Amino acid sequence: ALVGCSATVPTARQGTSAEQAARPQREGVPPAAILAPYKLGPGDVLQITVFDNPDLSTTAPVGEGGKISFPLLGEVPVNGLTRAQAEHRIAQLLERGRFVRKPYVTIAVTEYGSQSVSVLGDVNKPGAYMIKRPIDVTQVLAMAGGIDAKGSNVVTVVKRGPDGATHRERVDLAKLIEDGNLDQDTFVGSGDIVYVPPAPTFYIYGEVGRPGAYPLAEGMTVQQALSVGGGLTPRGTVNGIELDRKGRHGRMHHYSAQLDTPLRPNDVLRIPQSWF
């Protein structure tokens, strides 16, 4: 409990039923509404089929210049096109050249070489990572060497939708691992960003063994913070612990904290000296 000039501490905001319904469901493959259509690029390998024309069906790697080599047509630029757009371009060129009347072209990407996901923030090896298919956030973080000592367990994923708009998802890795529920993981694909923010921090000063700033674990209390800070010095006391906390409008509030008081990010604890 807190004693001071502030109102009661609000509890963490819970997601509404509408928000929960809007969250993507894991089906083994990424939902079409979440990942933007993949755009072809150098390093991809395409299996191209022309219906009723087996001689024109071919496997074509996309070269460094973003072009493929196709029978009768020679080099065809496909860089930056979706599969549907590349299918339409090849069909159009075949019909314009009078090679095939009303051709029906299909393309399958057998190897992905141009997908990348950016991993930023407090990870051991931030950067862009090549992926061959959409994969889980946990896999991407493993590729980046994992979260460093200052990183939060709650990461943000920025995704691009089919219309080019972006939206954000939060993934609580600690909860995912604790519950063992992989449905809480999320897919990332080409062009997505995984950001690991700094972990929430609290500060403890005064009569403790190791004063300073420390990561704030979920649900941490003043008593647990004392342990993290090295415990009381011989002169320290748990009576009269002071807590400084910013209010909603940035104003600092001062409280008298108890051992079971839960902490918030950026709280400052001051452990007093015993006079006896």
Side-chain angles (χ1 to χ4, degrees), residues 30-31 34-37 115-120 127-129 131 133-137 140 156-162 165-167 169 186-195:
I34 298 302
L35 299 177
Q115 293 195 84
S116 68
V117 174
S118 296
V119 186
L120 307 175
Y129 289 87
I131 58 175
R133 62 187 184 282
I135 61 175
D136 297 331
V137 166
V140 173
T156 298
V157 181
V158 181
K159 294 186 174 183
R160 290 181 175 85
T166 60
H167 75 279
E169 291 183 29
T186 187
F187 284 102
V188 291
S190 183
D192 291 346
I193 299 171
V194 177
Y195 173 65

PDB file of all heavy atoms in Angstrom, residues 30-31 34-37 115-120 127-129 131 133-137 140 156-162 165-167 169 186-195:
ATOM      1  N   PRO A  30       1.002 -17.785 -41.900  1.00  0.00           N
ATOM      2  CA  PRO A  30       0.576 -16.444 -41.555  1.00  0.00           C
ATOM      3  C   PRO A  30      -0.716 -16.069 -42.229  1.00  0.00           C
ATOM      4  O   PRO A  30      -0.907 -16.369 -43.413  1.00  0.00           O
ATOM      5  CB  PRO A  30       1.721 -15.564 -42.069  1.00  0.00           C
ATOM      6  CG  PRO A  30       2.676 -16.451 -42.746  1.00  0.00           C
ATOM      7  CD  PRO A  30       2.197 -17.848 -42.672  1.00  0.00           C
ATOM      8  N   PRO A  31      -1.675 -15.432 -41.536  1.00  0.00           N
ATOM      9  CA  PRO A  31      -2.913 -15.008 -42.156  1.00  0.00           C
ATOM     10  C   PRO A  31      -2.633 -14.036 -43.277  1.00  0.00           C
ATOM     11  O   PRO A  31      -1.752 -13.189 -43.185  1.00  0.00           O
ATOM     12  CB  PRO A  31      -3.668 -14.317 -41.016  1.00  0.00           C
ATOM     13  CG  PRO A  31      -3.011 -14.807 -39.766  1.00  0.00           C
ATOM     14  CD  PRO A  31      -1.603 -15.108 -40.121  1.00  0.00           C
ATOM     15  N   ILE A  34      -2.296 -10.371 -42.613  1.00  0.00           N
ATOM     16  CA  ILE A  34      -1.215  -9.858 -41.795  1.00  0.00           C
ATOM     17  C   ILE A  34       0.012  -9.546 -42.640  1.00  0.00           C
ATOM     18  O   ILE A  34       0.634  -8.508 -42.500  1.00  0.00           O
ATOM     19  CB  ILE A  34      -0.852 -10.876 -40.694  1.00  0.00           C
ATOM     20  CG1 ILE A  34      -2.058 -11.076 -39.787  1.00  0.00           C
ATOM     21  CG2 ILE A  34       0.351 -10.427 -39.907  1.00  0.00           C
ATOM     22  CD1 ILE A  34      -2.552  -9.796 -39.146  1.00  0.00           C
ATOM     23  N   LEU A  35       0.407 -10.440 -43.522  1.00  0.00           N
ATOM     24  CA  LEU A  35       1.612 -10.248 -44.301  1.00  0.00           C
ATOM     25  C   LEU A  35       1.280  -9.683 -45.675  1.00  0.00           C
ATOM     26  O   LEU A  35       0.376 -10.153 -46.355  1.00  0.00           O
ATOM     27  CB  LEU A  35       2.363 -11.573 -44.471  1.00  0.00           C
ATOM     28  CG  LEU A  35       2.830 -12.226 -43.168  1.00  0.00           C
ATOM     29  CD1 LEU A  35       3.489 -13.553 -43.474  1.00  0.00           C
ATOM     30  CD2 LEU A  35       3.793 -11.319 -42.441  1.00  0.00           C
ATOM     31  N   ALA A  36       1.995  -8.662 -46.089  1.00  0.00           N
ATOM     32  CA  ALA A  36       1.792  -8.089 -47.411  1.00  0.00           C
ATOM     33  C   ALA A  36       2.201  -9.109 -48.468  1.00  0.00           C
ATOM     34  O   ALA A  36       3.038  -9.980 -48.218  1.00  0.00           O
ATOM     35  CB  ALA A  36       2.618  -6.822 -47.543  1.00  0.00           C
ATOM     36  N   PRO A  37       1.616  -9.034 -49.684  1.00  0.00           N
ATOM     37  CA  PRO A  37       2.014  -9.945 -50.748  1.00  0.00           C
ATOM     38  C   PRO A  37       3.517  -9.877 -50.975  1.00  0.00           C
ATOM     39  O   PRO A  37       4.095  -8.788 -51.047  1.00  0.00           O
ATOM     40  CB  PRO A  37       1.233  -9.425 -51.958  1.00  0.00           C
ATOM     41  CG  PRO A  37       0.061  -8.706 -51.389  1.00  0.00           C
ATOM     42  CD  PRO A  37       0.551  -8.105 -50.105  1.00  0.00           C
ATOM     43  N   GLN A 115      13.971 -12.039 -48.994  1.00  0.00           N
ATOM     44  CA  GLN A 115      13.193 -11.612 -47.843  1.00  0.00           C
ATOM     45  C   GLN A 115      14.124 -11.242 -46.695  1.00  0.00           C
ATOM     46  O   GLN A 115      15.110 -11.925 -46.445  1.00  0.00           O
ATOM     47  CB  GLN A 115      12.266 -12.738 -47.362  1.00  0.00           C
ATOM     48  CG  GLN A 115      11.171 -13.089 -48.335  1.00  0.00           C
ATOM     49  CD  GLN A 115      10.104 -13.918 -47.644  1.00  0.00           C
ATOM     50  OE1 GLN A 115       9.208 -13.396 -47.014  1.00  0.00           O
ATOM     51  NE2 GLN A 115      10.226 -15.227 -47.750  1.00  0.00           N
ATOM     52  N   SER A 116      13.790 -10.185 -46.009  1.00  0.00           N
ATOM     53  CA  SER A 116      14.586  -9.819 -44.832  1.00  0.00           C
ATOM     54  C   SER A 116      13.689  -9.235 -43.764  1.00  0.00           C
ATOM     55  O   SER A 116      12.670  -8.603 -44.054  1.00  0.00           O
ATOM     56  CB  SER A 116      15.687  -8.814 -45.194  1.00  0.00           C
ATOM     57  OG  SER A 116      15.131  -7.568 -45.553  1.00  0.00           O
ATOM     58  N   VAL A 117      14.069  -9.478 -42.510  1.00  0.00           N
ATOM     59  CA  VAL A 117      13.391  -8.929 -41.346  1.00  0.00           C
ATOM     60  C   VAL A 117      14.411  -8.114 -40.560  1.00  0.00           C
ATOM     61  O   VAL A 117      15.549  -8.562 -40.362  1.00  0.00           O
ATOM     62  CB  VAL A 117      12.812 -10.051 -40.457  1.00  0.00           C
ATOM     63  CG1 VAL A 117      12.243  -9.476 -39.163  1.00  0.00           C
ATOM     64  CG2 VAL A 117      11.751 -10.826 -41.203  1.00  0.00           C
ATOM     65  N   SER A 118      14.034  -6.923 -40.131  1.00  0.00           N
ATOM     66  CA  SER A 118      14.935  -6.074 -39.353  1.00  0.00           C
ATOM     67  C   SER A 118      14.699  -6.298 -37.860  1.00  0.00           C
ATOM     68  O   SER A 118      13.549  -6.285 -37.409  1.00  0.00           O
ATOM     69  CB  SER A 118      14.712  -4.601 -39.696  1.00  0.00           C
ATOM     70  OG  SER A 118      15.033  -4.351 -41.051  1.00  0.00           O
ATOM     71  N   VAL A 119      15.787  -6.505 -37.125  1.00  0.00           N
ATOM     72  CA  VAL A 119      15.711  -6.666 -35.676  1.00  0.00           C
ATOM     73  C   VAL A 119      16.480  -5.506 -35.049  1.00  0.00           C
ATOM     74  O   VAL A 119      17.688  -5.356 -35.272  1.00  0.00           O
ATOM     75  CB  VAL A 119      16.295  -8.012 -35.216  1.00  0.00           C
ATOM     76  CG1 VAL A 119      16.056  -8.216 -33.725  1.00  0.00           C
ATOM     77  CG2 VAL A 119      15.682  -9.164 -36.010  1.00  0.00           C
ATOM     78  N   LEU A 120      15.778  -4.679 -34.285  1.00  0.00           N
ATOM     79  CA  LEU A 120      16.363  -3.460 -33.737  1.00  0.00           C
ATOM     80  C   LEU A 120      16.222  -3.424 -32.216  1.00  0.00           C
ATOM     81  O   LEU A 120      15.435  -4.173 -31.642  1.00  0.00           O
ATOM     82  CB  LEU A 120      15.663  -2.230 -34.334  1.00  0.00           C
ATOM     83  CG  LEU A 120      15.583  -2.164 -35.864  1.00  0.00           C
ATOM     84  CD1 LEU A 120      14.755  -0.958 -36.295  1.00  0.00           C
ATOM     85  CD2 LEU A 120      16.975  -2.109 -36.472  1.00  0.00           C
ATOM     86  N   GLY A 127      20.223  -5.965 -36.706  1.00  0.00           N
ATOM     87  CA  GLY A 127      20.489  -5.887 -38.142  1.00  0.00           C
ATOM     88  C   GLY A 127      19.354  -6.483 -38.947  1.00  0.00           C
ATOM     89  O   GLY A 127      18.289  -6.807 -38.415  1.00  0.00           O
ATOM     90  N   ALA A 128      19.596  -6.616 -40.255  1.00  0.00           N
ATOM     91  CA  ALA A 128      18.625  -7.225 -41.164  1.00  0.00           C
ATOM     92  C   ALA A 128      18.998  -8.688 -41.379  1.00  0.00           C
ATOM     93  O   ALA A 128      20.162  -9.005 -41.633  1.00  0.00           O
ATOM     94  CB  ALA A 128      18.598  -6.481 -42.493  1.00  0.00           C
ATOM     95  N   TYR A 129      18.005  -9.573 -41.280  1.00  0.00           N
ATOM     96  CA  TYR A 129      18.245 -11.011 -41.397  1.00  0.00           C
ATOM     97  C   TYR A 129      17.425 -11.589 -42.536  1.00  0.00           C
ATOM     98  O   TYR A 129      16.223 -11.340 -42.638  1.00  0.00           O
ATOM     99  CB  TYR A 129      17.913 -11.717 -40.078  1.00  0.00           C
ATOM    100  CG  TYR A 129      18.934 -11.400 -39.003  1.00  0.00           C
ATOM    101  CD1 TYR A 129      18.791 -10.270 -38.198  1.00  0.00           C
ATOM    102  CD2 TYR A 129      20.057 -12.200 -38.828  1.00  0.00           C
ATOM    103  CE1 TYR A 129      19.734  -9.954 -37.240  1.00  0.00           C
ATOM    104  CE2 TYR A 129      21.000 -11.897 -37.864  1.00  0.00           C
ATOM    105  CZ  TYR A 129      20.843 -10.774 -37.079  1.00  0.00           C
ATOM    106  OH  TYR A 129      21.785 -10.463 -36.132  1.00  0.00           O
ATOM    107  N   ILE A 131      15.435 -14.340 -44.529  1.00  0.00           N
ATOM    108  CA  ILE A 131      14.600 -15.492 -44.215  1.00  0.00           C
ATOM    109  C   ILE A 131      14.040 -16.058 -45.511  1.00  0.00           C
ATOM    110  O   ILE A 131      13.860 -15.331 -46.493  1.00  0.00           O
ATOM    111  CB  ILE A 131      13.450 -15.123 -43.261  1.00  0.00           C
ATOM    112  CG1 ILE A 131      12.570 -14.012 -43.861  1.00  0.00           C
ATOM    113  CG2 ILE A 131      13.994 -14.684 -41.900  1.00  0.00           C
ATOM    114  CD1 ILE A 131      11.358 -13.673 -43.030  1.00  0.00           C
ATOM    115  N   ARG A 133      11.153 -17.815 -45.553  1.00  0.00           N
ATOM    116  CA  ARG A 133       9.701 -17.881 -45.425  1.00  0.00           C
ATOM    117  C   ARG A 133       9.331 -17.140 -44.147  1.00  0.00           C
ATOM    118  O   ARG A 133      10.195 -16.900 -43.298  1.00  0.00           O
ATOM    119  CB  ARG A 133       9.224 -19.332 -45.341  1.00  0.00           C
ATOM    120  CG  ARG A 133       9.766 -20.064 -44.137  1.00  0.00           C
ATOM    121  CD  ARG A 133       9.435 -21.534 -44.145  1.00  0.00           C
ATOM    122  NE  ARG A 133       9.898 -22.190 -42.933  1.00  0.00           N
ATOM    123  CZ  ARG A 133      11.147 -22.532 -42.704  1.00  0.00           C
ATOM    124  NH1 ARG A 133      12.073 -22.285 -43.611  1.00  0.00           N
ATOM    125  NH2 ARG A 133      11.493 -23.117 -41.568  1.00  0.00           N
ATOM    126  N   PRO A 134       8.078 -16.767 -43.979  1.00  0.00           N
ATOM    127  CA  PRO A 134       7.673 -16.150 -42.707  1.00  0.00           C
ATOM    128  C   PRO A 134       7.947 -17.087 -41.533  1.00  0.00           C
ATOM    129  O   PRO A 134       7.678 -18.281 -41.603  1.00  0.00           O
ATOM    130  CB  PRO A 134       6.163 -15.925 -42.901  1.00  0.00           C
ATOM    131  CG  PRO A 134       5.996 -15.808 -44.379  1.00  0.00           C
ATOM    132  CD  PRO A 134       6.988 -16.780 -44.966  1.00  0.00           C
ATOM    133  N   ILE A 135       8.529 -16.545 -40.455  1.00  0.00           N
ATOM    134  CA  ILE A 135       8.888 -17.356 -39.294  1.00  0.00           C
ATOM    135  C   ILE A 135       8.439 -16.662 -38.009  1.00  0.00           C
ATOM    136  O   ILE A 135       7.979 -15.522 -38.035  1.00  0.00           O
ATOM    137  CB  ILE A 135      10.402 -17.651 -39.237  1.00  0.00           C
ATOM    138  CG1 ILE A 135      11.191 -16.341 -39.120  1.00  0.00           C
ATOM    139  CG2 ILE A 135      10.844 -18.421 -40.459  1.00  0.00           C
ATOM    140  CD1 ILE A 135      12.691 -16.567 -38.948  1.00  0.00           C
ATOM    141  N   ASP A 136       8.588 -17.352 -36.884  1.00  0.00           N
ATOM    142  CA  ASP A 136       8.156 -16.830 -35.589  1.00  0.00           C
ATOM    143  C   ASP A 136       9.096 -15.735 -35.085  1.00  0.00           C
ATOM    144  O   ASP A 136      10.290 -15.720 -35.401  1.00  0.00           O
ATOM    145  CB  ASP A 136       8.121 -17.946 -34.539  1.00  0.00           C
ATOM    146  CG  ASP A 136       7.106 -19.027 -34.879  1.00  0.00           C
ATOM    147  OD1 ASP A 136       6.112 -18.682 -35.527  1.00  0.00           O
ATOM    148  OD2 ASP A 136       7.331 -20.185 -34.495  1.00  0.00           O
ATOM    149  N   VAL A 137       8.558 -14.863 -34.240  1.00  0.00           N
ATOM    150  CA  VAL A 137       9.357 -13.830 -33.599  1.00  0.00           C
ATOM    151  C   VAL A 137      10.501 -14.454 -32.798  1.00  0.00           C
ATOM    152  O   VAL A 137      11.638 -13.971 -32.818  1.00  0.00           O
ATOM    153  CB  VAL A 137       8.479 -12.954 -32.681  1.00  0.00           C
ATOM    154  CG1 VAL A 137       9.340 -12.114 -31.750  1.00  0.00           C
ATOM    155  CG2 VAL A 137       7.593 -12.052 -33.507  1.00  0.00           C
ATOM    156  N   VAL A 140      13.371 -15.330 -35.028  1.00  0.00           N
ATOM    157  CA  VAL A 140      14.095 -14.146 -35.498  1.00  0.00           C
ATOM    158  C   VAL A 140      15.015 -13.616 -34.398  1.00  0.00           C
ATOM    159  O   VAL A 140      16.166 -13.253 -34.654  1.00  0.00           O
ATOM    160  CB  VAL A 140      13.110 -13.045 -35.949  1.00  0.00           C
ATOM    161  CG1 VAL A 140      13.849 -11.762 -36.271  1.00  0.00           C
ATOM    162  CG2 VAL A 140      12.330 -13.499 -37.164  1.00  0.00           C
ATOM    163  N   THR A 156       8.009  -5.425 -29.629  1.00  0.00           N
ATOM    164  CA  THR A 156       7.035  -4.853 -30.565  1.00  0.00           C
ATOM    165  C   THR A 156       7.362  -5.317 -31.977  1.00  0.00           C
ATOM    166  O   THR A 156       8.526  -5.277 -32.401  1.00  0.00           O
ATOM    167  CB  THR A 156       7.067  -3.315 -30.514  1.00  0.00           C
ATOM    168  OG1 THR A 156       6.713  -2.878 -29.204  1.00  0.00           O
ATOM    169  CG2 THR A 156       6.075  -2.712 -31.510  1.00  0.00           C
ATOM    170  N   VAL A 157       6.333  -5.764 -32.695  1.00  0.00           N
ATOM    171  CA  VAL A 157       6.487  -6.176 -34.089  1.00  0.00           C
ATOM    172  C   VAL A 157       5.700  -5.200 -34.958  1.00  0.00           C
ATOM    173  O   VAL A 157       4.507  -4.995 -34.737  1.00  0.00           O
ATOM    174  CB  VAL A 157       5.977  -7.613 -34.314  1.00  0.00           C
ATOM    175  CG1 VAL A 157       6.169  -8.023 -35.771  1.00  0.00           C
ATOM    176  CG2 VAL A 157       6.688  -8.588 -33.387  1.00  0.00           C
ATOM    177  N   VAL A 158       6.383  -4.584 -35.915  1.00  0.00           N
ATOM    178  CA  VAL A 158       5.737  -3.672 -36.857  1.00  0.00           C
ATOM    179  C   VAL A 158       5.574  -4.413 -38.177  1.00  0.00           C
ATOM    180  O   VAL A 158       6.557  -4.850 -38.779  1.00  0.00           O
ATOM    181  CB  VAL A 158       6.560  -2.388 -37.061  1.00  0.00           C
ATOM    182  CG1 VAL A 158       5.840  -1.440 -38.024  1.00  0.00           C
ATOM    183  CG2 VAL A 158       6.817  -1.698 -35.734  1.00  0.00           C
ATOM    184  N   LYS A 159       4.315  -4.554 -38.620  1.00  0.00           N
ATOM    185  CA  LYS A 159       4.013  -5.319 -39.831  1.00  0.00           C
ATOM    186  C   LYS A 159       3.397  -4.425 -40.898  1.00  0.00           C
ATOM    187  O   LYS A 159       2.695  -3.471 -40.585  1.00  0.00           O
ATOM    188  CB  LYS A 159       3.052  -6.466 -39.514  1.00  0.00           C
ATOM    189  CG  LYS A 159       3.641  -7.524 -38.615  1.00  0.00           C
ATOM    190  CD  LYS A 159       2.687  -8.688 -38.471  1.00  0.00           C
ATOM    191  CE  LYS A 159       3.320  -9.814 -37.684  1.00  0.00           C
ATOM    192  NZ  LYS A 159       2.425 -10.994 -37.594  1.00  0.00           N
ATOM    193  N   ARG A 160       3.668  -4.780 -42.138  1.00  0.00           N
ATOM    194  CA  ARG A 160       3.064  -4.088 -43.268  1.00  0.00           C
ATOM    195  C   ARG A 160       1.925  -4.933 -43.809  1.00  0.00           C
ATOM    196  O   ARG A 160       2.111  -6.093 -44.142  1.00  0.00           O
ATOM    197  CB  ARG A 160       4.094  -3.833 -44.364  1.00  0.00           C
ATOM    198  CG  ARG A 160       5.134  -2.788 -43.982  1.00  0.00           C
ATOM    199  CD  ARG A 160       6.122  -2.545 -45.112  1.00  0.00           C
ATOM    200  NE  ARG A 160       7.035  -1.465 -44.795  1.00  0.00           N
ATOM    201  CZ  ARG A 160       8.146  -1.594 -44.098  1.00  0.00           C
ATOM    202  NH1 ARG A 160       8.476  -2.784 -43.629  1.00  0.00           N
ATOM    203  NH2 ARG A 160       8.926  -0.558 -43.852  1.00  0.00           N
ATOM    204  N   GLY A 161       0.760  -4.330 -43.919  1.00  0.00           N
ATOM    205  CA  GLY A 161      -0.392  -5.040 -44.443  1.00  0.00           C
ATOM    206  C   GLY A 161      -0.435  -5.020 -45.958  1.00  0.00           C
ATOM    207  O   GLY A 161       0.386  -4.367 -46.616  1.00  0.00           O
ATOM    208  N   PRO A 162      -1.388  -5.729 -46.566  1.00  0.00           N
ATOM    209  CA  PRO A 162      -1.501  -5.779 -48.030  1.00  0.00           C
ATOM    210  C   PRO A 162      -1.701  -4.419 -48.658  1.00  0.00           C
ATOM    211  O   PRO A 162      -1.315  -4.200 -49.811  1.00  0.00           O
ATOM    212  CB  PRO A 162      -2.739  -6.675 -48.243  1.00  0.00           C
ATOM    213  CG  PRO A 162      -2.861  -7.476 -46.996  1.00  0.00           C
ATOM    214  CD  PRO A 162      -2.366  -6.588 -45.894  1.00  0.00           C
ATOM    215  N   ALA A 165      -0.298  -0.254 -45.347  1.00  0.00           N
ATOM    216  CA  ALA A 165      -0.394   0.334 -44.013  1.00  0.00           C
ATOM    217  C   ALA A 165       0.337  -0.554 -43.001  1.00  0.00           C
ATOM    218  O   ALA A 165       0.499  -1.754 -43.206  1.00  0.00           O
ATOM    219  CB  ALA A 165      -1.854   0.495 -43.607  1.00  0.00           C
ATOM    220  N   THR A 166       0.801   0.057 -41.918  1.00  0.00           N
ATOM    221  CA  THR A 166       1.497  -0.702 -40.884  1.00  0.00           C
ATOM    222  C   THR A 166       0.643  -0.811 -39.624  1.00  0.00           C
ATOM    223  O   THR A 166      -0.204   0.042 -39.360  1.00  0.00           O
ATOM    224  CB  THR A 166       2.837  -0.033 -40.506  1.00  0.00           C
ATOM    225  OG1 THR A 166       2.588   1.283 -40.004  1.00  0.00           O
ATOM    226  CG2 THR A 166       3.761   0.043 -41.706  1.00  0.00           C
ATOM    227  N   HIS A 167       0.856  -1.864 -38.885  1.00  0.00           N
ATOM    228  CA  HIS A 167       0.224  -1.992 -37.583  1.00  0.00           C
ATOM    229  C   HIS A 167       1.203  -2.685 -36.640  1.00  0.00           C
ATOM    230  O   HIS A 167       2.165  -3.317 -37.085  1.00  0.00           O
ATOM    231  CB  HIS A 167      -1.102  -2.757 -37.673  1.00  0.00           C
ATOM    232  CG  HIS A 167      -0.940  -4.222 -37.868  1.00  0.00           C
ATOM    233  ND1 HIS A 167      -0.688  -4.794 -39.091  1.00  0.00           N
ATOM    234  CD2 HIS A 167      -0.977  -5.250 -36.976  1.00  0.00           C
ATOM    235  CE1 HIS A 167      -0.593  -6.101 -38.964  1.00  0.00           C
ATOM    236  NE2 HIS A 167      -0.754  -6.407 -37.692  1.00  0.00           N
ATOM    237  N   GLU A 169       2.108  -5.119 -33.150  1.00  0.00           N
ATOM    238  CA  GLU A 169       1.715  -6.176 -32.232  1.00  0.00           C
ATOM    239  C   GLU A 169       2.749  -6.251 -31.112  1.00  0.00           C
ATOM    240  O   GLU A 169       3.935  -6.013 -31.338  1.00  0.00           O
ATOM    241  CB  GLU A 169       1.663  -7.536 -32.941  1.00  0.00           C
ATOM    242  CG  GLU A 169       0.553  -7.674 -33.949  1.00  0.00           C
ATOM    243  CD  GLU A 169       0.534  -9.077 -34.551  1.00  0.00           C
ATOM    244  OE1 GLU A 169       0.949 -10.027 -33.849  1.00  0.00           O
ATOM    245  OE2 GLU A 169       0.133  -9.209 -35.702  1.00  0.00           O
ATOM    246  N   THR A 186       4.018 -14.892 -32.841  1.00  0.00           N
ATOM    247  CA  THR A 186       3.439 -14.310 -34.045  1.00  0.00           C
ATOM    248  C   THR A 186       4.431 -14.455 -35.183  1.00  0.00           C
ATOM    249  O   THR A 186       5.634 -14.570 -34.969  1.00  0.00           O
ATOM    250  CB  THR A 186       3.078 -12.826 -33.836  1.00  0.00           C
ATOM    251  OG1 THR A 186       2.374 -12.337 -34.978  1.00  0.00           O
ATOM    252  CG2 THR A 186       4.327 -11.972 -33.619  1.00  0.00           C
ATOM    253  N   PHE A 187       3.914 -14.483 -36.394  1.00  0.00           N
ATOM    254  CA  PHE A 187       4.763 -14.606 -37.574  1.00  0.00           C
ATOM    255  C   PHE A 187       5.291 -13.253 -38.008  1.00  0.00           C
ATOM    256  O   PHE A 187       4.622 -12.229 -37.838  1.00  0.00           O
ATOM    257  CB  PHE A 187       3.976 -15.206 -38.739  1.00  0.00           C
ATOM    258  CG  PHE A 187       3.753 -16.691 -38.634  1.00  0.00           C
ATOM    259  CD1 PHE A 187       2.526 -17.191 -38.233  1.00  0.00           C
ATOM    260  CD2 PHE A 187       4.756 -17.584 -38.959  1.00  0.00           C
ATOM    261  CE1 PHE A 187       2.298 -18.548 -38.154  1.00  0.00           C
ATOM    262  CE2 PHE A 187       4.546 -18.950 -38.874  1.00  0.00           C
ATOM    263  CZ  PHE A 187       3.316 -19.437 -38.476  1.00  0.00           C
ATOM    264  N   VAL A 188       6.484 -13.244 -38.570  1.00  0.00           N
ATOM    265  CA  VAL A 188       7.003 -12.059 -39.233  1.00  0.00           C
ATOM    266  C   VAL A 188       7.447 -12.455 -40.630  1.00  0.00           C
ATOM    267  O   VAL A 188       7.889 -13.583 -40.859  1.00  0.00           O
ATOM    268  CB  VAL A 188       8.181 -11.425 -38.461  1.00  0.00           C
ATOM    269  CG1 VAL A 188       7.703 -10.817 -37.166  1.00  0.00           C
ATOM    270  CG2 VAL A 188       9.279 -12.450 -38.190  1.00  0.00           C
ATOM    271  N   GLY A 189       7.308 -11.520 -41.563  1.00  0.00           N
ATOM    272  CA  GLY A 189       7.676 -11.775 -42.941  1.00  0.00           C
ATOM    273  C   GLY A 189       8.531 -10.652 -43.494  1.00  0.00           C
ATOM    274  O   GLY A 189       8.973  -9.754 -42.769  1.00  0.00           O
ATOM    275  N   SER A 190       8.743 -10.683 -44.785  1.00  0.00           N
ATOM    276  CA  SER A 190       9.630  -9.728 -45.432  1.00  0.00           C
ATOM    277  C   SER A 190       9.189  -8.286 -45.185  1.00  0.00           C
ATOM    278  O   SER A 190       8.020  -7.945 -45.337  1.00  0.00           O
ATOM    279  CB  SER A 190       9.659  -9.994 -46.934  1.00  0.00           C
ATOM    280  OG  SER A 190      10.558  -9.137 -47.585  1.00  0.00           O
ATOM    281  N   GLY A 191      10.143  -7.447 -44.785  1.00  0.00           N
ATOM    282  CA  GLY A 191       9.863  -6.041 -44.555  1.00  0.00           C
ATOM    283  C   GLY A 191       9.376  -5.719 -43.164  1.00  0.00           C
ATOM    284  O   GLY A 191       9.257  -4.538 -42.813  1.00  0.00           O
ATOM    285  N   ASP A 192       9.101  -6.736 -42.337  1.00  0.00           N
ATOM    286  CA  ASP A 192       8.638  -6.485 -40.972  1.00  0.00           C
ATOM    287  C   ASP A 192       9.805  -6.080 -40.077  1.00  0.00           C
ATOM    288  O   ASP A 192      10.976  -6.328 -40.384  1.00  0.00           O
ATOM    289  CB  ASP A 192       7.951  -7.728 -40.399  1.00  0.00           C
ATOM    290  CG  ASP A 192       6.624  -8.026 -41.081  1.00  0.00           C
ATOM    291  OD1 ASP A 192       6.121  -7.144 -41.798  1.00  0.00           O
ATOM    292  OD2 ASP A 192       6.104  -9.140 -40.903  1.00  0.00           O
ATOM    293  N   ILE A 193       9.470  -5.452 -38.951  1.00  0.00           N
ATOM    294  CA  ILE A 193      10.471  -4.984 -37.995  1.00  0.00           C
ATOM    295  C   ILE A 193      10.157  -5.558 -36.618  1.00  0.00           C
ATOM    296  O   ILE A 193       9.011  -5.497 -36.167  1.00  0.00           O
ATOM    297  CB  ILE A 193      10.489  -3.444 -37.911  1.00  0.00           C
ATOM    298  CG1 ILE A 193      10.855  -2.839 -39.275  1.00  0.00           C
ATOM    299  CG2 ILE A 193      11.466  -2.965 -36.835  1.00  0.00           C
ATOM    300  CD1 ILE A 193      10.688  -1.337 -39.323  1.00  0.00           C
ATOM    301  N   VAL A 194      11.162  -6.109 -35.979  1.00  0.00           N
ATOM    302  CA  VAL A 194      11.047  -6.575 -34.601  1.00  0.00           C
ATOM    303  C   VAL A 194      11.887  -5.631 -33.736  1.00  0.00           C
ATOM    304  O   VAL A 194      13.102  -5.504 -33.946  1.00  0.00           O
ATOM    305  CB  VAL A 194      11.539  -8.025 -34.442  1.00  0.00           C
ATOM    306  CG1 VAL A 194      11.476  -8.452 -32.974  1.00  0.00           C
ATOM    307  CG2 VAL A 194      10.703  -8.963 -35.309  1.00  0.00           C
ATOM    308  N   TYR A 195      11.241  -4.964 -32.786  1.00  0.00           N
ATOM    309  CA  TYR A 195      11.938  -3.990 -31.941  1.00  0.00           C
ATOM    310  C   TYR A 195      11.886  -4.433 -30.479  1.00  0.00           C
ATOM    311  O   TYR A 195      10.803  -4.707 -29.945  1.00  0.00           O
ATOM    312  CB  TYR A 195      11.311  -2.609 -32.072  1.00  0.00           C
ATOM    313  CG  TYR A 195      11.868  -1.596 -31.104  1.00  0.00           C
ATOM    314  CD1 TYR A 195      13.195  -1.189 -31.180  1.00  0.00           C
ATOM    315  CD2 TYR A 195      11.071  -1.069 -30.090  1.00  0.00           C
ATOM    316  CE1 TYR A 195      13.720  -0.272 -30.280  1.00  0.00           C
ATOM    317  CE2 TYR A 195      11.589  -0.141 -29.180  1.00  0.00           C
ATOM    318  CZ  TYR A 195      12.917   0.251 -29.291  1.00  0.00           C
ATOM    319  OH  TYR A 195      13.428   1.143 -28.388  1.00  0.00           O
TER     320      TYR A 195
END
